[in-house]
Each structure stands twice: as structure tokens, then as C-alpha cells.
């Protein structure tokens, strides 16, 4: 019955990354074969990781040049250009925010893809570890049954059948079969080390992946918060808020460049493995697995013979031969040696148990199960994993460049806020139309003018003041201010008449206050001076 067999083909992006130049610290070309134990190959990956450091240095250099140019331009600004056009700045901030949001979307997708690939890798490693663990248990159990149980029963039967040479000859033949089973069982590969290594690799990989996923998730959330905070900071134009945003932007920019370097080195190294994974695994398992066994599980081709088939066949034949001998002894020896029944039945049970374990061992040693786990692990790492790393590298590059542009926009907003504060500082405090100047000029602690309230309180009852008699000749016309106020509603506003001649908008007073002022006599004017005189 023919079954469809899956073959691994490395994706095109792994070949593209595999062809990246590999250099050591002395700028010498290094072989791109995946050999992580060699120092030169490690240096080539570290050299690729320094791409992030180079990008960070260039970003800081561009920001420094921009700050120097911005400071020089501020010194050359004329007083007539205190309010520059902010349309370009606004659009720059909007475009930068959109780029960061798009990069965050790419980052979320890449983070999810990488996590899926690593999860598939660890899941396959745990499955393979379970298979290898089952193999170890079956081999150990079968050897224990044969080495201890069968030998003990055969030694007791030697004593029981000591008087019958024919039965003793059958026992010697069974001992020969037992030695054959033990010899073939011990020739099976020692996969205990592989079992332990797979479990350790899976646990360590899962732990590293958890922290990697969490770190990128926090970085993505930080970029989103920065986008929202920059909008709020530019709207409120708060210096303290902009300082906080600049600190987080610098932190996020550093993390983005660092993640770009780490992602590039990891993607290239993983691609070097994905291009020729079989060669690396054969080299790593050569201490406890022969080349034919490794190739049998890595390729699982129908043309490759099962390296365990001969040993398994010898074990099965030996067990079958021993079962036939036990059946004959049970049939012919029990009438003469009834005490041998217990040991003969014990040997029969052990043979049945060993044969059942041998069938399970044959199924687990078949290449299809482990080869499927191997293919799933490769698919997870080389397809989802490397693809996710490429998207994460793209996110890091876009976010780092956009954050650098955002820093330039924040610096420009900072200068605009400074110029606005300078405009307010240039206002003359002596300007009578300055609200702050009016507040200072009418401060009772700083003014030498007698307040109207003190005047009324010193005179007592305002009803005792009588207006001076006025003749028709000296009746003064109403002030110009009163004439203007009559145009707006027909009634005079409640204004302080003495402040009209000072060129400053006076406060409002009630009609009673105005009547009291108009009723002032000459003696009162001489007493208070000309402060309230029109």
C-alpha cells in the first residue's frame, strides 16, 4: 500500500537570508554553513547583530545634526516670523503616527507567526521526546525480563531437570536464545542521551520564546501609547508632557534598533540551519547514532533499509523458538517433574510480555513517526518562524525610522512652544491694555489711590452728602463716554467716571456709587486730592 510521503523543501526566503555575507570581527569572509560551535561563525552572527547598533548611531547623528540646524535657525529668526506655519509639522506628525501604527500592525503579525512556529517546534520536540522515551522504556523492560526473569527460571529448571539430559539440552538451547535476545537488544542505539537533549532543548526554547514574545508585545504596546501621547502633547503643548514623550521615544527607538539587530542575526542563523538541516543533525548525533540510522530517520525513504530490522527479526525468532520449547516441556515434562510447572509458566508469561513489547518497539522504531515530528519542527521553524522574524525586522526598521522622525517633530514643537512663550514675555507690563498690568495697577497694596470704598466708609452714611448747588451757567455737559454709552441701549453703563481720562477701560459701578461721586463738594475734593476728579 503506497502512502504519500512529505518532503521538506526550504522556502525561498531562507536561501535569500543564507546568502547574506558572513564576516568576522576582522572583516574576513566566513563560511555560511550552520556551525554554531565555531567561534568564527558566532562572530559572523554578532557582526550581523551590530546592524542595529550602526542604525542607532546613524539615527543619533541625524538627530544631532537636526538639533544643531534647528538651533541655528532659531537664532536667525526675525521678530516678524514668531508664528511660523505649522501645517507641515502637523502633516509630518500625522504621517509619522500612521507609519508607526502600520509598523505595529506588522509587528503583531510577525510576533504571532514567530510564536506559532516556535510552538510547533516545541510541540514536535515533545512528541519526539515521548517516542524516544517509550523506546527507552520498552528496551529497558525487555532486557530486564530476559536478563533477570528468564535466567532465574532457567537456573531453577536446571536443578529440577538435572536427572534428564534431554530436558537439560532444551534448557541449554533456550539459554542460547536468551543470549541472542540480550545481544540484539544491546545493539540497539543508545537513545537515552537524545531523549534527555530533546526535552532540555524544548524546555529552554519554550522559556526563551515566552520572554521574547512578551518583550515584543510590550514594545508594540509602548509604540501605540507613544502615538496617542504625541497627539495629546501636541494638542496641549505641554513641555513636561513632551519631555516624558521624548524619553519614551528614545527608549523605544533604542529597543527597536536592538530588536532589528537581534532579529536579523537570528533570522540569518536560522536560515543557515534551514538550508541544510540534515547535515547539522548528522554531525550532532554522530556520537551516539550511526550515519545509517540518522539518515533512515531524516529521509525515511522506502529505498533505505531499516537498520533495526535484522536485530528485531532475530529477537522475534528467538522468542518464538523459546515459546515452542516451553510448550513442549509443559506437555511432556510435567507428568514426571510436576515441580517445574511454576517456572515453566513463569517463563511463558515473560516470553509473551517480551514479545508484546517487541511488537511495540518495532512500531516505534519505524521512521514514519519520528520523521513526521522532524518535518513538523522544520516547517514551524523555517516557514512560520523565519517569516515571523522577517516581519518583526521590518517592524523594527519602520518603527526606528518613524520614531527618529517623531523626535524631530517633537523638537520642532518644543521650539514653537518656546517662541510662543517668548511672545508672551515680550508684552510690556506697562501697557494699559495688558490684563496683567491692569491687575497689578489696581492692587490695593501697591496703589496710592484712595479706594472708593474707603471714602464711603470714612464718610459714614452716604445719604448725608448733599450735592452742591449748581447754576445753569456752570452745568457741565455729560462726558463723551456717557454720550457713547447712551447709544448702546439708552441707559448709561455703570462705569467709573474718573478713569475715563486715563485711557484704560474702567470697572463698572452701581448708580448709587455714581451719585455719591457726583455729590462730592469742593472741600471733599481738596481732602482727597484730584484722584477722583474728571
Amino acid at each position: 500500500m503506497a502512502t504519500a510521503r512529505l518532503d521538506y523543501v526550504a522556502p525561498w526566503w531562507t536561501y535569500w537570508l543564507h546568502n547574506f555575507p558572513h564576516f568576522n570581527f576582522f572583516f574576513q569572509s566566513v563560511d555560511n554553513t550552520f556551525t554554531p560551535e565555531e567561534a568564527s561563525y558566532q562572530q559572523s552572527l554578532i557582526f550581523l547583530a551590530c546592524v542595529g547598533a550602526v542604525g542607532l548611531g546613524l539615527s543619533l547623528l541625524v538627530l544631532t545634526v537636526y538639533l544643531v540646524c534647528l538651533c541655528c535657525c532659531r537664532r536667525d529668526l526675525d521678530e516678524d516670523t514668531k508664528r511660523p506655519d505649522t501645517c507641515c509639522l502637523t502633516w509630518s506628525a500625522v504621517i509619522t503616527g500612521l507609519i508607526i501604527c502600520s509598523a505595529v500592525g506588522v509587528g503583531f503579525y510577525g510576533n504571532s507567526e514567530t510564536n506559532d512556529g516556535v510552538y510547533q517546534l516545541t510541540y514536535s520536540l515533545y512528541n519526539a521526546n515521548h517516542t524516544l522515551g517509550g523506546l527507552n522504556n520498552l528496551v529497558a523492560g525487555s532486557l530486564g525480563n530476559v536478563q533477570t526473569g528468564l535466567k532465574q527460571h532457567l537456573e531453577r529448571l536446571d536443578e529440577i531437570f538435572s536427572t534428564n539430559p534431554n530436558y537439560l539440552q532444551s534448557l541449554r538451547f533456550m539459554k542460547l536464545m536468551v543470549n541472542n535476545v540480550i545481544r540484539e537488544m544491546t545493539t540497539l542505539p543508545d537513545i537515552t542521551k537524545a531523549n534527555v537533549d530533546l526535552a532540555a532543548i524544548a524546555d529552554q526554547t519554550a522559556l526563551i520564546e515566552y520572554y521574547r514574545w512578551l518583550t515584543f508585545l510590550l514594545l508594540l504596546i509602548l509604540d501605540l501609547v507613544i502615538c496617542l501621547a504625541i497627539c495629546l502633547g501636541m494638542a496641549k503643548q505641554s513641555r513636561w508632557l513632551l519631555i516624558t514623550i521624548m524619553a519614551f521615544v528614545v527608549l523605544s527607538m533604542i529597543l527597536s534598533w536592538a530588536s532589528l539587530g537581534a532579529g536579523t542575526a537570528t533570522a540569518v542563523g536560522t536560515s543557515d540551519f534551514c538550508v541544510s538541516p540534515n547535515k547539522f543533525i548528522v554531525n550532532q548525533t554522530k556520537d551516539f547514532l550511526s550515519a545509517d540510522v540518522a539518515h533512515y530517520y531524516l529521509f525515511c525513504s522506502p529505498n533505505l533499509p531499516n537498520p533495526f530490522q535484522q536485530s528485531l527479526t532475530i529477537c522475534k525468532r528467538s522468542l518464538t523458538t523459546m515459546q515452542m520449547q516451553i510448550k513442549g516441556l509443559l506437555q511432556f515434562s510435567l507428568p514426571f517433574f510436576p515441580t517445574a510447572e511454576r517456572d515453566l509458566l513463569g517463563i511463558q508469561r515473560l516470553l509473551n510480555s517480551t514479545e508484546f513489547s517487541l511488537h511495540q518497539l518495532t512500531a516505534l522504531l519505524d521512521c514514519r513517526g519520528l520523521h513526521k515530528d522532524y518535518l513538523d519542527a522544520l516547517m514551524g521553524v523555517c516557514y512560520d518562524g523565519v517569516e515571523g522574524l522577517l516581519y518583526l525586522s521590518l517592524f523594527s526598521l519602520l518603527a526606528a525610522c518613524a520614531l527618529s522622525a517623531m523626535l524631530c517633530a517633537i523638537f520642532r514643537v518644543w521650539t514653537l512652544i518656546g517662541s510662543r512663550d517668548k511672545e508672551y514675555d515680550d508684552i510690556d507690563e506697562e501697557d494699559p491694555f495688558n490684563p496683567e498690568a491692569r491687575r497689578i495697577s489696581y492692587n490695593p497694596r501697591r496703589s496710592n489711590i484712595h479706594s472708593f470704598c474707603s471714602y464711603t466708609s470714612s464718610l459714614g452714611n452716604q445719604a448725608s452728602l448733599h450735592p452742591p448747588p449748581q447754576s445753569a451757567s456752570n452745568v457741565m455737559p455729560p462726558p463723551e463716554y456717557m454720550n457713547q454709552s447712551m447709544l448702546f441701549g439708552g441707559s448709561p453703563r455703570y462705569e467709573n467716571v474718573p478713569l475715563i481720562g486715563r485711557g484704560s477701560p474702567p470697572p463698572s459701578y452701581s448708580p448709587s456709587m455714581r451719585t455719591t461721586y457726583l455729590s462730592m463738594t469742593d472741600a471733599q475734593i481738596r481732602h482727597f486730592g484730584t484722584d477722583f476728579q474728571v
Side-chain angles (χ1 to χ4, degrees):
M1 178 178 176
T3 57
R5 189 174 61 90
L6 297 177
D7 292 329
Y8 166 74
V9 178
W12 63 267
W13 52 82
T14 57
Y15 287 100
W16 177 64
L17 292 171
H18 178 67
N19 293 326
F20 269 26
H22 293 61
F23 296 102
N24 57 12
F25 294 155
F26 302 101
F27 295 95
Q28 297 175 351
S29 179
V30 178
D31 186 15
N32 55 5
T33 304
F34 185 71
T35 52
E37 66 277 359
E38 295 184 2
S40 59
Y41 185 79
Q42 296 175 1
Q43 291 178 5
S44 66
L45 294 183
I46 296 174
F47 187 85
L48 288 174
C50 293
V51 172
V54 173
L56 178 61
L58 291 176
S59 297
L60 295 178
L61 179 62
V62 171
L63 289 174
T64 303
V65 173
Y66 179 78
L67 282 177
V68 171
C69 295
L70 194 62
C71 293
C72 295
C73 291
R74 283 192 62 189
R75 294 177 181 177
D76 298 338
L77 285 176
D78 297 331
E79 294 182 357
D80 297 337
T81 61
K82 289 182 178 180
R83 293 183 179 274
D85 188 13
T86 60
C87 181
C88 181
L89 179 62
T90 302
W91 278 107
S92 300
V94 170
I95 294 174
T96 303
L98 291 177
I99 293 175
I100 293 179
C101 292
S102 302
V104 168
V106 173
F108 271 112
Y109 177 77
N111 200 30
S112 177
E113 284 292 304
T114 305
N115 185 257
D116 291 342
V118 176
Y119 174 77
Q120 190 172 353
L121 168 64
T122 55
Y123 184 77
S124 301
L125 289 176
Y126 283 127
N127 280 342
N129 179 72
H130 183 267
T131 302
L132 296 177
L135 288 173
N136 289 331
N137 294 333
L138 289 174
V139 171
S142 300
L143 283 175
N145 291 337
V146 174
Q147 289 177 344
T148 59
L150 287 179
K151 284 188 174 183
Q152 289 177 359
H153 288 296
L154 291 175
E155 289 175 357
R156 285 196 293 266
L157 288 176
D158 278 338
E159 298 176 358
I160 296 173
F161 295 149
S162 59
T163 59
N164 193 325
N166 294 327
Y167 295 157
L168 289 178
Q169 185 178 0
S170 297
L171 292 178
R172 285 194 296 269
F173 183 74
M174 291 178 63
K175 288 181 181 179
L176 181 61
M177 295 296 103
V178 169
N179 292 330
N180 290 338
V181 172
I182 294 174
R183 185 182 67 253
E184 297 301 329
M185 286 287 184
T186 53
T187 56
L188 293 177
D190 186 10
I191 52 181
T192 305
K193 184 177 180 181
N195 181 31
V196 174
D197 288 345
L198 285 181
I201 290 172
D203 293 336
Q204 187 176 5
T205 303
L207 182 63
I208 294 175
E209 170 58 20
Y210 171 74
Y211 286 110
R212 185 211 62 79
W213 174 83
L214 183 61
T215 301
F216 268 99
L217 182 63
L218 294 177
L219 181 60
L220 294 169
I221 294 175
L222 177 62
D223 289 344
L224 287 178
V225 172
I226 287 175
C227 288
L228 297 177
I230 190 63
C231 296
L232 180 62
M234 294 182 68
K236 298 184 71 68
Q237 295 187 355
S238 172
R239 285 197 168 187
W240 289 106
L241 185 57
L242 289 178
I243 291 175
T244 305
I245 294 173
M246 280 191 288
F248 282 105
V249 168
V250 171
L251 175 63
S252 181
M253 185 179 67
I254 294 174
L255 293 177
S256 297
W257 284 117
S259 64
L260 177 62
T264 302
T266 305
V268 171
T270 307
S271 298
D272 293 339
F273 166 77
C274 292
V275 169
S276 58
N278 298 330
K279 181 179 179 180
F280 172 75
I281 293 177
V282 169
N283 292 331
Q284 292 296 315
T285 58
K286 63 183 179 181
D287 295 334
F288 54 92
L289 285 180
S290 60
D292 56 341
V293 174
H295 283 85
Y296 173 70
Y297 286 107
L298 293 177
F299 296 99
C300 195
S301 174
N303 299 326
L304 292 176
N306 188 344
F308 310 113
Q309 187 63 45
Q310 183 177 0
S311 298
L312 294 174
T313 302
I314 293 174
C315 290
K316 289 179 182 180
R317 290 177 179 177
S318 300
L319 291 175
T320 302
T321 303
M322 283 189 288
Q323 286 179 345
M324 294 175 61
Q325 293 293 327
I326 291 298
K327 285 182 181 180
L329 291 175
L330 285 173
Q331 183 178 359
F332 298 105
S333 65
L334 287 183
F336 303 99
F337 301 96
T339 56
E341 182 180 7
R342 178 183 176 184
D343 292 314
L344 291 175
L345 293 176
I347 291 175
Q348 192 177 37
R349 285 193 298 268
L350 289 176
L351 290 175
N352 292 333
S353 175
T354 304
E355 187 177 8
F356 179 74
S357 298
L358 191 63
H359 285 294
Q360 290 182 325
L361 187 62
T362 303
L364 290 178
L365 285 174
D366 189 79
C367 66
R368 287 174 291 183
L370 290 175
H371 184 69
K372 182 181 181 302
D373 295 332
Y374 174 63
L375 288 181
D376 291 341
L378 287 181
M379 293 294 180
V381 172
C382 302
Y383 279 82
D384 293 339
V386 178
E387 182 184 6
L389 288 176
L390 288 176
Y391 280 107
L392 288 177
S393 300
L394 179 60
F395 150 74
S396 300
L397 180 62
L398 291 177
C401 296
L403 289 171
S404 302
M406 181 175 287
L407 273 179
C408 296
I410 293 175
F411 291 149
R412 183 57 178 164
V413 172
W414 181 276
T415 57
L416 293 180
I417 294 177
S419 62
R420 185 197 64 179
D421 295 339
K422 186 177 180 181
E423 289 180 6
Y424 288 145
D425 294 338
D426 291 341
I427 297 177
D428 189 6
E429 294 183 356
E430 302 297 332
D431 187 1
F433 293 98
N434 185 7
E436 190 69 22
R438 292 203 305 270
R439 188 158 47 250
I440 296 174
S441 63
Y442 286 103
N443 191 344
R445 297 183 180 180
R446 299 177 58 183
S447 177
N448 296 326
I449 301 177
H450 299 284
S451 66
F452 190 77
C453 296
S454 63
Y455 162 72
T456 56
S457 62
S458 64
L459 293 181
N461 188 4
Q462 297 178 8
S464 61
L465 299 176
H466 302 283
Q470 299 178 359
S471 60
S473 61
N474 59 4
V475 174
M476 298 181 62
E480 179 185 357
Y481 134 81
M482 292 293 293
N483 294 334
Q484 294 176 356
S485 64
M486 293 295 290
L487 298 175
F488 300 93
S491 59
R493 293 181 298 174
Y494 305 148
E495 298 291 341
N496 188 6
V497 178
L499 297 179
I500 295 174
R502 301 186 180 184
S504 178
S508 299
Y509 292 108
S510 64
S512 60
M513 293 181 180
R514 182 173 176 276
T515 304
T516 305
Y517 167 73
L518 293 176
S519 64
M520 290 177 61
T521 61
D522 294 335
Q524 294 168 348
I525 292 175
R526 286 194 302 270
H527 175 73
F528 289 98
T530 61
D531 291 337
F532 296 104
Q533 194 170 4
V534 180

